[in-house]
Amino acid sequence: MSSGSNLRSQDQFLCSICLDVFTDPVTTPCGHNFCQTCITQHWEVNFPFKCPLCKELFTSRPQLGVNTFIREMVAQFRHEAQQEASSSSSAAKPGEVPCDVCTGTKLKALKSCLVCQVSYCQTHLEPHLTTPGLKKHQLMEPVENLEDRMCLQHNKPLELFCRTDQTCVCSLCSVLDHKNHKFVPLREESEEKKAELKKTEAEVQKMIQSRRVKIQEIKESMKISKDAADREKAEGVQFFTALKEAAERGLEELIKEIQDKQKTAEKQAEDFIKDLEQEISELMKRSSEVKQLSQSEDHLHLLQSFSSLKAAPPTKNWTEIRVHPPSYEGTVVRAAAQLEQKLWEKMKKLLDLNRVQQCAVDVTLDPHTANPWLILSDDGKQVHCGNKRKKLPDNPERFSHCINVLGQQSFSSGRFYFEVQVKGKTDWDLGVSRESINRKGDITLSPQDGFWTVGLRNRNEYLASAGPPVCLHVQPGPEKVGVFVDYKEGLVSFYNVNAAALIYSFTGCSFTEKLYPFFSPCLNDGGQNSAPLIICTVNQPDRCSYNSSRLNLLVKNRQSKRR
């Protein structure tokens, strides 16, 4: 018999009073079946006599007839169930409670009886399921050391909880050793303790969750810290690389200056030496002629030649001529001063950039303004030109022809700043625009038309759309562009963030309506310009403030030294 059929058969043979398999089944006049003991005890305490199931009322206690058919079916069911249990039973494994009755191989216990203090397997548990006297025993899930569940003093099951002494006791303890104490059944106290444990578990889970959140916060903080450290290192490398290059150029210029002075001095000395050697040669020739003439015995020749030899040769007066070594005094100092000036200019640029970065705002792209060719990222931070025009409603805010998109945020006062990565692109335009700009058809980027932008064309041609456009000399080309606006002052400035250098400024602007960040990634040019424009996270304000304070301190120190 399968376990499935066992379950179905057991459901058919359950007494509705004891909810167990029938024992000596009997049938009432109304046709319902009960255990003989169950229905007899039921009618002994309940009057008038009614059927527990259909509530049919009997004028006198009905005569009960033994239902032999059900009795035989129950007997068959018990026999088959016992066979199945015996065939499926297995020896108790380590950690499992063994049957205390089995001899030889100990089978796994299914229940433990607190009254008998014995654990039973399926076979040996049968009497507790069928014998009326044993059916009243208290069964529980199998446990070892049943003696621990018995009162050591009275040898009775521990079935009460003394709340006064906070201990488990038996029924005799409640009237003897714990008289006048407050008692509750173990189940009741256990349920309360379970409720407390559930509350404790909820609190523990809440603590665990809060700590997990804290771990996430710490991890996020460390990520921010690492990103800040990476940016700081990158800026440090960039700054000191530029400083190193400036120092190397200064050293080269210093060495060249010294070498040029030395070469000039050497050339002068060489010229003097050459003249002196020429005169020495002439004098030696004259000395030879004088010596030869002085030894001549030809008196006539001597007298005729004497007048020409007696005349002094054309010589310079070398008494006052000196070769002065070039003066190098102050050369190194001047080179150091020039290097300091270059460093100072670099620091001022960095200070200026840090000041405007403190005005950073969060900018996201507005899909309602995006040209249908544009593809925006889900977070609204990236945009590039796709290969297919999307079918979008031609609402008034949308650019219908030009490859443009605006930011969602608008500004009508104060100062604001944002940064955009342009790395890998061959063409782009960035800046701000008025709210009332034309968004349909061809558009001219100029302040007169409500646009203040700079852009790139053909990889290396930078221009400011100032109407007429202004060609810009930007070397090296920026990988990240910062856009700063001072609404009140009418100023729009663009920065090469990596070089901490100003690219261009629109000054004297007159703003009278809302300004929106403006972006144009331009056409993708067959994939040559497919890189996106990316709105970047600007350095944290506290870090900018730190850099500004640090540079301001350097300013004060420099001014103090000059005084």
Side-chain angles (χ1 to χ4, degrees):
M1 182 183 292
S2 67
S3 58
S5 61
N6 261 337
L7 290 175
R8 288 193 296 273
S9 299
Q10 184 174 354
D11 291 340
Q12 296 169 1
F13 302 135
L14 290 181
C15 170
S16 59
I17 297 177
C18 65
L19 302 178
D20 207 341
V21 178
F22 288 119
T23 301
D24 298 329
V26 293
T27 303
T28 61
C30 58
H32 293 113
N33 300 303
F34 304 94
C35 296
Q36 185 175 8
T37 302
C38 293
I39 190 63
T40 300
Q41 292 178 347
H42 177 75
W43 280 338
E44 286 178 353
V45 297
N46 291 282
F47 185 84
F49 306 117
K50 292 182 180 179
C51 174
L53 285 178
C54 67
K55 307 301 181 182
E56 181 177 343
L57 182 64
F58 304 111
T59 56
S60 61
R61 178 177 290 194
Q63 294 295 323
L64 301 174
V66 177
N67 192 323
T68 56
F69 174 74
I70 293 181
R71 183 175 63 185
E72 291 175 358
M73 293 295 294
V74 168
Q76 182 181 357
F77 164 74
R78 292 186 188 279
H79 178 69
E80 292 176 350
Q82 185 173 356
Q83 285 183 336
E84 182 177 353
S86 299
S87 62
S88 61
S89 297
S90 58
K93 299 176 182 178
E96 295 178 340
V97 179
C99 176
D100 294 325
V101 182
C102 289
T103 59
T105 301
K106 295 284 188 177
L107 300 182
K108 176 184 176 181
L110 295 183
K111 295 288 183 180
S112 294
C113 177
L114 288 178
V115 179
C116 302
Q117 297 189 44
V118 175
S119 297
Y120 299 103
C121 65
Q122 178 68 43
T123 302
H124 295 121
L125 181 63
E126 184 66 20
H128 277 73
L129 302 177
T130 58
T131 305
L134 296 177
K135 288 173 66 175
K136 297 180 180 180
H137 286 194
Q138 185 176 353
L139 299 177
M140 61 178 298
E141 294 301 313
V143 293
E144 293 182 324
N145 303 323
L146 282 169
E147 60 273 10
D148 294 341
R149 297 177 175 269
M150 304 297 292
C151 177
L152 298 179
Q153 185 174 358
H154 306 114
N155 198 30
K156 284 186 170 293
L158 299 172
E159 52 190 13
L160 297 173
F161 183 79
C162 175
R163 287 185 170 175
T164 305
D165 292 340
Q166 292 292 301
T167 185
C168 298
V169 297
C170 68
S171 57
L172 287 179
C173 290
S174 64
V175 296
L176 296 177
D177 302 331
H178 296 261
K179 189 176 182 180
N180 298 325
H181 287 189
K182 186 176 181 181
F183 301 95
V184 292
L186 291 181
R187 177 183 294 275
E188 181 179 340
E189 184 67 20
S190 176
E191 292 300 325
E192 290 189 10
K193 290 295 187 289
K194 284 182 180 179
E196 291 182 13
L197 290 174
K198 287 182 179 179
K199 183 178 179 181
T200 301
E201 172 66 10
E203 293 175 352
V204 171
Q205 288 298 327
K206 186 176 180 181
M207 294 171 67
I208 291 172
Q209 185 61 27
S210 67
R211 280 153 178 78
R212 284 176 176 167
V213 171
K214 181 58 66 175
I215 289 174
Q216 198 61 33
E217 289 178 0
I218 293 173
K219 287 183 177 179
E220 186 65 23
S221 176
M222 291 308 299
K223 181 180 181 299
I224 294 173
S225 175
K226 183 179 182 301
D227 292 342
D230 290 342
R231 289 194 300 268
E232 191 74 15
K233 286 190 291 185
E235 285 190 8
V237 169
Q238 179 184 356
F239 181 78
F240 283 98
T241 298
L243 178 60
K244 178 182 176 182
E245 291 174 353
E248 289 176 347
R249 286 194 300 270
L251 178 60
E252 291 175 358
E253 292 171 359
L254 173 65
I255 292 174
K256 185 176 183 301
E257 180 182 354
I258 295 173
Q259 289 176 341
D260 289 345
K261 287 184 178 181
Q262 180 62 20
K263 287 180 179 179
T264 301
E266 289 177 354
K267 179 67 168 59
Q268 184 183 33
E270 289 174 357
D271 291 342
F272 286 159
I273 291 173
K274 184 177 180 181
D275 290 345
L276 287 169
E277 288 178 346
Q278 180 68 29
E279 290 188 6
I280 289 172
S281 177
E282 292 177 0
L283 289 171
M284 288 181 66
K285 179 180 179 182
R286 181 176 180 80
S287 174
S288 176
E289 291 175 351
V290 170
K291 183 178 180 180
Q292 183 179 359
L293 186 60
S294 64
Q295 295 175 354
S296 175
E297 297 295 333
D298 187 345
H299 305 295
L300 178 61
H301 175 69
L302 186 148
L303 293 173
Q304 290 177 341
S305 303
F306 178 80
S307 58
S308 61
L309 288 175
K310 187 178 180 181
T315 60
K316 291 181 181 180
N317 182 8
W318 293 94
T319 305
E320 301 298 330
I321 293 179
R322 297 283 188 276
V323 177
H324 300 283
S327 175
Y328 301 111
E329 182 179 356
T331 304
V332 176
V333 175
R334 285 195 302 275
Q338 292 174 357
L339 179 60
E340 180 189 11
Q341 184 62 30
K342 292 178 181 178
L343 174 60
W344 174 243
E345 291 174 358
K346 179 70 174 178
M347 289 168 58
K348 286 197 295 184
K349 291 179 180 179
L350 185 59
L351 176 61
D352 184 42
L353 179 60
N354 272 277
R355 283 175 176 166
V356 300
Q357 282 178 329
Q358 294 183 64
C359 303
V361 294
D362 184 26
V363 173
T364 52
L365 302 170
D366 186 356
H368 295 94
T369 66
N371 179 274
W373 286 91
L374 293 180
I375 299 176
L376 278 60
S377 62
D378 294 337
D379 62 359
K381 295 294 184 180
Q382 300 187 28
V383 59
H384 68 278
C385 183
N387 297 315
K388 183 178 180 181
R389 181 184 174 91
K390 293 180 289 186
K391 294 182 179 179
L392 298 173
D394 188 19
N395 47 285
E397 300 86 6
R398 191 178 308 283
F399 289 96
S400 61
H401 183 68
C402 295
I403 312 298
N404 304 332
V405 62
L406 299 181
Q408 288 186 336
Q409 296 74 19
S410 64
F411 305 90
S412 56
S413 63
R415 302 172 179 176
F416 64 93
Y417 173 85
F418 60 93
E419 292 180 354
V420 183
Q421 179 178 306
V422 297
K423 181 180 180 181
K425 296 192 66 61
T426 61
D427 299 89
W428 52 262
D429 290 293
L430 291 174
V432 293
S433 68
R434 289 196 305 253
E435 183 179 27
S436 61
I437 55 171
N438 174 34
R439 309 188 189 197
K440 308 300 178 182
D442 292 331
I443 295 173
T444 301
L445 298 181
S446 69
Q448 292 78 12
D449 295 297
F451 297 89
W452 292 265
T453 65
V454 297
L456 171 67
R457 295 293 182 270
N458 303 321
R459 297 184 182 274
N460 56 12
E461 297 175 8
Y462 294 91
L463 54 89
S465 300
V470 177
C471 293
L472 305 175
H473 301 285
V474 183
Q475 290 297 332
E479 294 184 354
K480 188 185 297 184
V481 175
V483 182
F484 172 71
V485 176
D486 188 326
Y487 193 96
K488 182 179 180 181
E489 295 297 327
L491 173 68
V492 182
S493 296
F494 298 85
Y495 292 86
N496 181 340
V497 176
N498 304 96
L502 179 67
I503 298 175
Y504 186 79
S505 288
F506 292 91
T507 59
C509 307
S510 178
F511 302 132
T512 58
E513 56 184 279
K514 292 180 181 179
L515 296 180
Y516 286 84
F518 172 85
F519 309 85
S520 176
C522 298
L523 296 171
N524 62 16
D525 192 20
Q528 297 296 315
N529 190 38
S530 60
L533 291 176
I534 303 175
I535 302 173
C536 304
T537 301
V538 181
N539 294 344
Q540 296 298 321
D542 57 344
R543 178 176 172 273
C544 295
S545 177
Y546 165 72
N547 284 338
S548 297
S549 300
R550 181 172 55 183
L551 290 171
N552 285 326
L553 181 60
L554 291 174
V555 170
K556 292 180 180 179
N557 291 340
R558 188 171 188 268
Q559 292 173 345
S560 176
K561 289 180 180 179
R562 287 185 178 275
R563 289 197 294 267

